[in-house]
Amino acid sequence: NVKIRVNNQKISSGINAEYGIYYRFLETRSLRDWVLLIMAPKTKFREGDFLQNMERECRAVGIRMSEPLSIRFVQEGEFQREAERYADKYRELRYIFVVLPDRTNNHVYSMVKETEQSIGVPTQCIRLETVLRKMKGPTLGNILMKTNTKLGGVNWELSYSMSPLSKRLGDFVFGEPVMIVGADVTHWSRDEGSKPSIVGVVCTLDRKCSKYASRIRLQNHRGGRQSDEIIQDFKRNNEGAAGGVLPDRQNKAG
């Protein structure tokens, strides 16, 4: 049974998720200098209840939450302009929570992520349906796991102290330096024309594979693969690093 370490506690993976039991994250980052943009009707979204639930769950997992710099209801067509305005107004802006309308298509989500790419501020999307029906511990816990990670925190790490392999593996999860790399792409719908897709690549940074960095790029419809280009750029930029050894593993998941 795989063990993970959360806030210096060793627990079995899966049990906490199944029963809705959540632990304080291993390393947290403060949720400060953030704004809340709402693409939902004022009659349906109660920002006071939302902030109260957020603050409660932030305390539970160890995140310090400050009041948002601003709360604003926006139309879909206003979102990009408003996000850019806030990025210019608040130079210290670190995070944007976005409440999406009931019937959200791929266009709205892609537009939010394209804006994130252009202003350089991480975003976290939440559907209005989730806010109205599922704003409980397990759901908020999952949202805050993403938030803490995007802010640079560490939610958990693998623990090998109870494993018979611990002496052989040492500090490295695989017994040697390994970087895990993942790539994904989000496409616009067919009726949106030739708008660029959004490509994301993520890679681990530490020996326990619990810290990682990400890069996002826009991919034009020109037959190229930006995810491949990001990985190749990384390899070219790091030739000679770590004694000239870079992770060179092919592990494609079906």
Side-chain angles (χ1 to χ4, degrees), residues 31 34-40 45 50-51 53-54 95-102 104 108-109 112-113 123-136 139-140 142-144 146-147 150:
L31 179 56
W34 64 286
V35 298
L36 174 61
L37 296 181
I38 308 155
M39 286 189 280
F45 183 82
F50 175 83
L51 293 176
N53 290 331
M54 283 283 297
Y95 208 65
I96 300 177
F97 265 98
V98 185
V99 179
L100 302 176
D102 276 328
T104 302
V108 178
Y109 180 80
V112 171
K113 293 306 176 181
T123 61
Q124 177 60 53
C125 295
I126 309 175
R127 294 178 184 271
L128 178 60
E129 179 185 4
T130 301
V131 175
L132 296 179
R133 301 181 183 180
K134 305 176 183 178
M135 209 61 171
K136 299 179 181 179
T139 300
L140 274 175
N142 287 332
I143 292 171
L144 292 178
K146 299 176 183 178
T147 296
K150 292 176 182 179

Side-chain angles (χ1 to χ4, degrees), residues 168-179:
R168 182 169 65 85
L169 294 177
D171 291 334
F172 294 99
V173 170
F174 297 102
E176 59 182 322
V178 172
M179 174 182 287

Side-chain angles (χ1 to χ4, degrees), residues 25-92:
F25 297 151
L26 189 64
E27 296 178 15
T28 58
R29 296 293 182 266
S30 298
L31 179 56
R32 56 181 176 82
D33 302 325
W34 64 286
V35 298
L36 174 61
L37 296 181
I38 308 155
M39 286 189 280
K42 293 183 179 180
T43 55
K44 292 186 176 182
F45 183 82
R46 297 180 179 179
E47 57 267 35
D49 292 345
F50 175 83
L51 293 176
Q52 185 178 14
N53 290 331
M54 283 283 297
E55 186 177 11
R56 182 191 68 243
E57 293 304 319
C58 280
R59 285 199 306 269
V61 298
I63 294 177
R64 288 188 177 185
M65 173 183 158
S66 302
E67 291 290 324
L69 297 170
S70 179
I71 301 174
R72 185 173 178 81
F73 287 85
V74 298
Q75 299 295 321
E76 177 185 326
E78 301 173 330
F79 173 81
Q80 185 170 3
R81 182 178 69 250
E82 288 300 312
E84 292 172 349
R85 183 175 70 85
Y86 280 122
D88 290 336
K89 181 178 180 179
Y90 302 112
R91 294 296 181 179
E92 70 278 17

